[in-house]
Amino acid sequence: MAVEYIQPEYEVVRNQERCIVCRVCERQCANQVHEYLKDSNRMVADDSKCVNCHRCVALCPTRALKIVKSPHTFKENTNWSGKAISEIYKQAESGGVLLSSMGNPENYPVYFDKMLLNASQVTNPSIDPLREPMETRVFLGAKPERIERDEKGRIIRSLPPQIQLSMPVMFSAMSYGSISYNAHESLARAAAELGILYNTGEGGLHEDLYKYGKNTIVQVASGRFGVHKDYLESGAAIEIKMGQGAKPGIGGHLPGEKVGMDISRTRMIPEGTDAISPAPHHDIYSIEDLRQLVYSLKEATGYKKPVIVKIAAVHNVAAIASGIARSGADMIAIDGFRGGTGAAPTRIRDHVGLPIELALASVDKRLRDEGIRNRVSIIAGGSIRSSADVVKAIALGADCVYIATAALVALGCHLCRSCHTGKCNWGIATQRPDLVKRLNPNIGFRRLVNLLTAWQHEIKEMMGGMGINSIEALRGNRLMLRGVGLNEKELEILGIKHAGE
Amino acid sequence: MKRVYVNEKWCLGCHLCEYYCAFASTGETDMARALKDIRINPRIRVEECEGISFAVSCRHCPEPLCVKGCITGALRKIDGIITVDRNRCIGCYTCILSCPYGAVSPSEDGAIQKCELCIKTHEGTPRCVLGCPNGAIVFEERGE
Amino acid sequence: MYRNVSGCAISGIISRSGKRFSGERIIESVATMRERSNGLGGGFAAYGIYPEYKDYYAFHIFYNDNAAKKECETFLEEHFDIINLSRIPTRKIPEITDEPLIWRYFVLPLPTKLAASQLDEREYVVRCVFRINTGIDGAYVFSSGKNMGVFKAVGFPEDVGRFYKLEEYEGYCFTAHGRYPTNTPGWWGGAHPFSLLDYTVVHNGEISSYDANRRSIEMYGYKCTLLTDTEVIAYMIDYLHRRIGLTLDEICHVFAAPFWSTIEGKPKQEREELKFLRNVFSSLLITGPFSIIVGFEGGMMALNDRLKLRSMVVGEKDDMVYVASEEAAIRIIQNDLDRVWSPMGGEGVIVTVEGVKN
Ligand code: SF4
Ligand code: SF4
Ligand code: SF4
Ligand code: SF4
């Protein structure tokens, strides 16, 4: 087409003084931005193809590259931003729904950044995690409301199935298909090493990863891909995915190009076909139906595995969670609107759902008001970015958090948000063998272990500062939080006081 | 003894190892200055064929054919590492012909060059290994 | 509403054989630790003091004025059979001022009301106490157990003891509290001990798990109106002991649970039990420094936090057991001790009176 409506967002800037023409950038960019000009023995770049993933920048041995935002601009207009205009151009050209990936990047408040933690001074000593035990172990699962004793008066220790974690963090669902085998292997091995769980996502479980079953949550989503008895039995817990924070109300779509041999086997669908999971589970149109699925899964696994129900944080999340807590589920996973995805319609990603902080606070409160908080554990996800976010989520009332984007970032993801193209230069959101290879699980799993080990140290330090030496004393301990720059209503929903109060 | 081993499964064919190798021998501190406008002649080479790639460098064989073949004694095995005394090398290239891995090559000044595990230029892990982004070459002890 | 934090002095004395003795001694003990209090609150719990009314709940109530009293008495009449009522005898002393109206009632639930409520008797009493304390402005029930009573006020504990003429009461167990609040409303009801039925708690420390414990216990119908650690701990004891049926020993393992590393080293049966308790009652774990003395019908329990961040000493002489924040507070009333020790962090000391089951 002769008219170029859309101009490149980024410029690839090469310092020719430093470029030694090693052509590493050219080999590493799956978007074919870089090109070697033989005649002049120089490298050139086509900015229009660059997605700003930093692969070339990270591998250039002489640091000759940087990617900058193009100064090219539309006439200033706060209402009609450059983004809004470009999106119209795109749709006028394609006639299609805009697609994007990863979490909501728009400028909504991040409540985690508007909450501050407490520390002890004078009246209550802080505790040094290097000198005193500092415990982060948690158990997830329903707790009994009364105890029974045997004829000798000893407590009968029968409990609904529980999961033990070394720290209150798990890897959230990312399906094999949306991410690569190597990414999955890295997550599985890291979970095993750390004593936590990872989640298969909706694409089934590759047979080579069954050995990490003790550390696996197997997911059952509306597409039911790869779901069979052995699959259900292979994990430590089963998750029913009702929704996902990045795209509430929308199912999944894995394009046929990504469905190669291994994925087709794992998902139990023909090679090359699109894997489409419907928006609802077609056997769940109400809370009673959910109860039936919860119990069928329990029945199928002999009541030995806890069942998690995962929902997207939407407007009446508290009422929904209360329904789930009464449905026999052992845990509720709430996914905030900043949660990531391999592909979602842009409008849905950017305009539907709730921040996890508010959703979590209101669910925890609702379940307590109804006296059923102990019937379920709450797992909060949807953009937990650091150990401070973990601590704040626990203090708001979560038993545990789910991380996914943070885990991918540890594996090299640069949040270029192009997962839906299938050409992830970091070997994560791709199935192209030459790209998948770029993520060596031996390195990947180590990086994940490092990340969470570091977080665990930080969590302990923050807990010690608050004079808390066991994580359960932090759960729901909202007095440890203060808001900054929040209005009355926000403080009320979060159930916290303002800083200075 | 620690050696460089190849995990071709993880080799990306990026050729970074070659550049780090070439850089190591320059003694410079900045790669851009060291290698700008230079056609490199590294001691490690990436072989590529139909999507498979791997880096080849001297194996430091227990029974080194190059050492056996060297007519001047320029090549010697010292502490398990096959090293070259460039002053003694007369450029007959018998070693190049006899190395089954093609790990010996001529240098610009006529004497041969080969991987000496960076012992003459750096301490510790060879530079190619440090520069590999994907763990496709490793420096480890694996027993004989 | 703000949470009150405080550091304090506590003391307790019990006769294992159930021998009754005068309140004089506990006053003497807690007075020794005067620098641990700041005159902003003191109080006592006394057990075995109303033998003539031992089958009746003894309500001690503060009233701001006669209107509150009238309203409360109407409520009491509707729900209870009142056997006896009187002002609690006090002595005018310059150190204690601004006293509210302080009344005592011996009551039993009205059988018809109790039957209609379908609650067990103790739960019925608890609910009525909550209704008065949260529903009737200016009325506050600060003691509601049988054959026991709480006496508390704003002031130094020894003055509070003299004010209430504690030396004229005889009981088999007394506990005392001198308060050093870092923030105080100066309200009589806010002094310690805190009690519900016959459970009383005196506490020294500041617990970091406060809000986790509070939010958890409120789920079971308790309302924490005073925002003090002591109140929460009292409710937690009531919940675990009366409602869930845990033993005091088990409660110690919930409040000051052993570290996982310690649990892992225990024999299987014990390990599994400790693990069960920690898992199931995880929200009732108390962290941060505390030492508490819990009084209950027929006994007394002392417990330290798991790191032992607050001092607590136990002494024994014949059938008497003494617990205090400082050894001096024991020595002043009994210097000739058979045994003195500092219990380890998380190690509960439970003393029961012979012949009383607990
Ligand atoms: S897409 Fe990535 S690798 Fe390619 S030029 Fe842009 S930043 Fe570099
Ligand atoms: S990787 Fe860097 S040095 Fe190599 S060609 Fe690209 S820009 Fe030049
Ligand atoms: S996973 Fe890959 S494609 Fe997706 S955002 Fe991260 S780097 Fe980009
Ligand atoms: S640096 Fe590593 S990955 Fe790249 S070509 Fe060399 S051995 Fe292969």
Side-chain angles (χ1 to χ4, degrees):
Chain A
M1 211 183 7
V3 186
E4 276 292 353
Y5 285 94
I6 298 172
Q7 306 310 321
E9 260 185 275
Y10 308 102
E11 277 174 23
V12 179
V13 178
R14 190 185 324 267
N15 182 345
Q16 295 292 358
E17 288 288 296
R18 296 194 63 82
C19 175
I20 55 170
V21 203
C22 68
R23 300 176 68 179
V24 165
C25 49
E26 180 192 15
R27 291 185 199 101
Q28 289 293 302
C29 179
N31 297 309
Q32 294 171 313
V33 170
H34 301 275
E35 193 188 341
Y36 172 59
L37 299 183
K38 197 154 188 275
D39 295 343
S40 51
N41 189 36
R42 288 175 81 231
M43 301 298 300
V44 288
D46 176 354
D47 297 336
S48 68
K49 294 183 191 151
C50 174
V51 299
N52 196 0
C53 74
H54 290 191
R55 179 71 185 181
C56 59
V57 176
L59 265 75
C60 169
T62 60
R63 287 188 311 282
L65 287 171
K66 63 182 169 194
I67 313 293
V68 297
K69 198 169 160 46
S70 168
H72 172 78
T73 181
F74 291 97
K75 200 155 186 167
E76 294 253 334
N77 188 328
T78 27
N79 184 33
W80 284 101
S81 64
K83 178 169 172 278
I85 300 171
S86 300
E87 284 175 348
I88 288 193
Y89 289 148
K90 271 186 213 158
Q91 292 191 298
E93 204 164 299
S94 69
V97 169
L98 292 171
L99 274 188
S100 42
S101 31
M102 295 319 283
N104 188 336
E106 297 300 318
N107 186 25
Y108 297 101
V110 180
Y111 288 98
F112 282 130
D113 295 340
K114 293 172 188 262
M115 289 189 282
L116 294 171
L117 293 167
N118 193 22
S120 319
Q121 299 286 294
V122 186
T123 54
N124 172 350
S126 43
I127 304 168
D128 182 350
L130 297 176
R131 288 164 211 273
E132 306 281 356
M134 189 59 71
E135 303 183 307
T136 57
R137 180 187 297 185
V138 290
F139 289 90
L140 303 183
K143 311 292 181 245
E145 276 155 26
R146 56 183 57 84
I147 58 159
E148 271 148 40
R149 294 183 187 267
D150 61 15
E151 62 290 346
K152 284 199 198 125
R154 284 194 308 235
I155 295 176
I156 300 171
R157 298 182 307 270
S158 64
L159 275 181
Q162 306 280 311
I163 296 177
Q164 181 183 324
L165 304 173
S166 64
M167 63 187 290
V169 179
M170 301 193 287
F171 297 126
S172 185
M174 289 177 280
S175 72
Y176 173 41
S178 76
I179 60 171
S180 64
Y181 177 83
N182 289 345
H184 248 212
E185 183 184 326
S186 305
L187 291 166
R189 285 169 57 187
E193 170 103 1
L194 288 160
I196 61 167
L197 269 57
Y198 85 109
N199 188 316
T200 60
E202 66 165 321
L205 179 59
H206 192 284
E207 52 199 11
D208 293 352
L209 298 181
Y210 272 67
K211 58 175 177 276
Y212 302 106
K214 273 209 323 286
N215 300 89
T216 307
I217 297 169
V218 294
Q219 198 183 58
V220 175
S222 58
R224 302 282 200 275
F225 299 118
V227 176
H228 50 92
K229 191 159 161 58
D230 288 349
Y231 170 72
L232 294 176
E233 270 179 355
S234 68
I238 303 172
E239 178 172 276
I240 301 174
K241 176 191 169 184
M242 296 305 302
Q244 181 177 349
K247 42 181 173 178
I250 296 271
H253 180 182
L254 187 70
E257 308 85 79
K258 285 195 179 174
V259 184
M261 194 180 66
D262 262 3
I263 292 187
S264 114
R265 271 174 62 104
T266 307
R267 292 210 174 202
M268 308 194 304
I269 53 170
E271 237 175 278
T273 50
D274 285 13
I276 297 177
S277 25
H281 286 248
H282 282 300
D283 50 0
I284 303 180
Y285 287 175
S286 72
I287 197 89
E288 308 85 74
D289 295 345
L290 173 65
R291 190 182 170 80
Q292 287 193 356
L293 179 59
V294 168
Y295 279 98
S296 344
L297 292 173
K298 290 193 168 199
E299 195 66 45
T301 49
Y303 293 85
K304 288 202 197 73
K305 322 248 176 212
V307 172
I308 308 169
V309 174
K310 174 175 175 176
I311 48 167
V314 289
H315 295 180
N316 60 346
V317 64
I320 298 166
S322 151
I324 294 171
R326 295 167 198 280
S327 73
D330 300 275
M331 302 167 206
I332 304 177
I334 317 166
D335 198 14
F337 79 150
R338 286 184 190 278
T341 173
T346 310
R347 298 295 174 237
I348 305 263
R349 185 195 68 177
D350 295 355
H351 299 278
V352 181
L354 294 185
I356 185 59
E357 303 90 324
L358 301 181
L360 166 62
S362 64
V363 167
D364 177 65
K365 176 164 190 306
R366 176 67 167 260
L367 297 184
R368 283 173 197 263
D369 288 350
E370 295 183 7
I372 53 174
R373 177 64 182 82
N374 285 347
R375 280 201 207 166
V376 281
S377 297
I378 300 179
I379 309 167
S383 207
I384 300 288
R385 303 155 303 170
S386 68
S387 56
D389 289 356
V390 177
V391 170
K392 291 172 189 177
I394 303 290
L396 279 177
D399 288 271
C400 167
V401 303
Y402 256 154
I403 63 166
T405 305
L408 295 192
V409 171
L411 291 176
C413 165
H414 276 56
L415 284 180
C416 69
R417 309 198 299 262
S418 331
C419 321
H420 56 291
T421 64
K423 289 193 288 192
C424 175
N425 267 326
W426 292 90
I428 300 167
T430 177
Q431 300 302 329
R432 238 172 73 178
D434 61 319
L435 298 179
V436 171
K437 199 183 199 180
R438 294 183 183 180
L439 177 56
N440 178 344
N442 299 324
I443 299 174
F445 112 91
R446 193 35 64 200
R447 291 179 64 85
L448 290 169
V449 171
N450 287 347
L451 175 76
L452 287 190
T453 308
W455 282 20
Q456 190 178 29
H457 284 305
E458 292 175 335
I459 291 170
K460 288 180 176 182
E461 249 160 35
M462 285 181 266
M463 280 166 52
M466 292 184 260
I468 288 177
N469 57 9
S470 189
I471 194 101
E472 53 260 55
L474 179 65
R475 190 200 316 125
N477 197 335
R478 296 192 188 172
L479 262 187
M480 292 296 165
L481 297 170
R482 287 290 188 279
V484 270
L486 296 176
N487 65 35
E488 283 292 332
K489 194 71 199 176
E490 291 168 318
L491 293 169
E492 180 195 322
I493 294 167
L494 291 166
I496 61 173
K497 291 181 189 156
H498 201 277
E501 273 191 87
Chain B
M1 187 192 121
K2 278 185 160 186
R3 293 170 199 223
V4 174
Y5 292 95
V6 179
N7 295 323
E8 80 282 353
K9 187 175 177 197
W10 302 118
C11 178
L12 308 175
C14 67
H15 295 255
L16 274 170
C17 45
E18 296 178 351
Y19 284 84
Y20 281 100
C21 173
F23 176 40
S25 62
T26 62
E28 280 278 358
T29 52
D30 179 84
M31 192 192 281
R33 207 174 334 137
L35 302 181
K36 183 77 189 150
D37 300 326
I38 282 176
R39 175 173 291 275
I40 60 163
N41 183 20
R43 293 150 173 80
I44 186 167
R45 296 274 177 176
V46 178
E47 305 270 339
E48 286 168 290
C49 183
E50 292 171 3
I52 295 179
S53 58
F54 52 90
V56 180
S57 61
C58 172
R59 310 284 81 215
H60 299 278
C61 311
E63 304 273 339
L65 295 177
C66 57
V67 174
K68 225 179 197 170
C70 178
I71 58 172
T72 63
L75 278 168
R76 278 192 300 158
K77 183 166 179 170
I78 301 170
D79 295 335
I81 302 174
I82 319 292
T83 54
V84 52
D85 178 347
R86 294 170 56 86
N87 293 328
R88 284 192 176 201
C89 174
I90 54 166
C92 71
Y93 298 166
T94 315
C95 52
I96 296 182
L97 292 173
S98 50
C99 173
Y101 301 101
V104 188
S105 57
S107 72
E108 294 73 21
D109 64 8
I112 62 102
Q113 61 171 20
K114 65 176 292 302
C115 165
E116 292 167 280
L117 297 179
C118 287
I119 47 163
K120 291 183 177 158
T121 50
H122 297 91
E123 295 274 313
T125 307
R127 296 290 122 154
C128 56
V129 172
L130 284 179
C132 174
N134 209 34
I137 38 179
V138 289
F139 187 55
E140 346 177 292
E141 185 77 66
R142 286 193 184 169
E144 297 306 324
Chain C
M1 295 225 269
Y2 299 91
R3 183 178 163 224
N4 302 318
V5 292
S6 51
C8 309
I10 59 175
S11 179
I13 313 175
I14 185 167
S15 153
R16 277 206 190 101
S17 60
K19 208 165 58 213
R20 294 167 69 210
F21 53 93
S22 143
E24 186 71 49
R25 303 175 72 186
I26 191 78
I27 300 180
E28 214 181 318
S29 167
V30 73
T32 333
M33 299 182 283
R34 189 178 170 99
E35 79 288 354
R36 283 178 167 268
S37 317
N38 66 356
L40 290 175
F44 302 85
Y47 289 84
I49 54 171
Y50 299 134
E52 60 279 28
Y53 292 112
K54 67 180 179 2
D55 296 326
Y56 297 90
Y57 294 93
F59 282 13
H60 292 187
I61 308 183
F62 290 137
Y63 296 122
N64 287 357
D65 47 40
N66 274 311
K69 175 164 176 279
K70 207 156 163 243
E71 189 183 348
C72 183
E73 285 180 353
T74 314
F75 177 87
L76 288 176
E77 273 158 21
E78 279 167 14
H79 293 83
F80 296 93
D81 205 356
I82 305 173
I83 295 301
N84 181 320
L85 77 169
S86 63
R87 259 178 194 281
I88 294 184
T90 56
R91 162 187 290 137
K92 282 265 170 239
I93 54 170
E95 291 84 356
I96 305 279
T97 51
D98 293 330
E99 74 251 40
L101 308 172
I102 311 170
W103 281 74
R104 171 164 59 208
Y105 305 80
F106 291 101
V107 303
L108 266 188
L110 282 176
T112 46
K113 283 270 182 177
L114 178 60
S117 71
Q118 300 190 350
L119 297 170
D120 84 63
E121 185 183 294
R122 283 162 52 92
E123 180 66 21
Y124 178 90
V125 174
V126 168
R127 298 228 184 152
C128 289
V129 169
F130 273 107
R131 278 183 58 188
I132 295 170
N133 290 355
T134 56
I136 301 178
D137 207 25
Y140 186 74
V141 182
F142 63 99
S143 186
S144 53
K146 284 182 180 173
N147 198 11
M148 58 79 64
V150 168
F151 302 89
K152 60 187 185 180
V154 172
F156 282 100
E158 58 274 27
D159 300 332
V160 175
R162 282 200 299 135
F163 173 79
Y164 279 108
K165 306 186 180 178
L166 204 67
E167 72 281 359
E168 293 178 7
Y169 293 86
E170 284 201 334
Y172 60 82
C173 170
F174 288 87
T175 65
H177 185 263
R179 188 150 175 244
Y180 197 130
T182 38
N183 160 4
T184 182
W187 175 55
W188 286 45
H192 304 190
F194 192 85
S195 77
L196 189 65
L197 296 172
D198 59 299
Y199 302 107
T200 60
V201 178
V202 290
H203 156 250
N204 167 21
E206 184 192 333
I207 62 178
S208 53
S209 54
Y210 174 78
D211 215 29
N213 301 146
R214 177 188 68 85
R215 297 185 67 231
S216 172
I217 200 72
E218 287 199 336
M219 208 161 85
Y220 308 113
Y222 298 89
K223 280 187 204 67
C224 300
T225 49
L226 298 183
L227 307 183
T228 60
D229 296 349
T230 321
E231 178 191 34
V232 167
I233 295 173
Y235 293 157
M236 282 159 54
I237 289 169
D238 178 64
Y239 173 72
L240 291 174
H241 193 249
R242 181 174 64 87
R243 288 178 50 187
I244 294 290
L246 291 192
T247 64
L248 291 163
D249 205 40
E250 287 163 348
I251 291 176
C252 292
H253 291 143
V254 170
F255 284 3
F259 288 101
W260 288 116
S261 51
T262 312
I263 292 179
E264 303 303 352
K266 300 273 183 194
K268 185 158 188 291
Q269 171 76 18
E270 195 183 347
R271 181 173 72 226
E272 293 296 316
E273 267 169 28
L274 290 169
K275 192 170 154 186
F276 177 91
L277 290 171
R278 262 201 90 166
N279 177 3
V280 173
F281 300 106
S282 61
S283 307
L284 302 180
L285 173 77
I286 304 176
T287 60
F290 71 86
S291 54
I292 53 173
I293 303 177
V294 178
F296 51 89
E297 191 181 350
M300 182 173 97
M301 172 179 102
L303 179 69
N304 250 162
D305 65 84
R306 43 203 216 138
L307 288 179
K308 198 164 172 73
L309 295 168
R310 279 289 186 274
S311 55
M312 192 174 77
V313 183
V314 182
E316 273 179 4
K317 171 73 185 173
D318 302 328
D319 77 321
M320 300 297 287
V321 181
Y322 306 86
V323 179
S325 304
E326 291 174 9
E327 194 172 327
I330 298 176
R331 297 256 176 221
I332 190 93
I333 46 173
Q334 180 54 274
N335 199 16
D336 174 27
L337 292 164
D338 299 337
R339 188 154 95 98
V340 189
W341 79 100
S342 269
M344 309 248 283
E347 178 198 324
V349 176
I350 300 164
V351 187
T352 50
V353 174
E354 281 139 36
V356 182
K357 166 186 150 293
N358 242 294

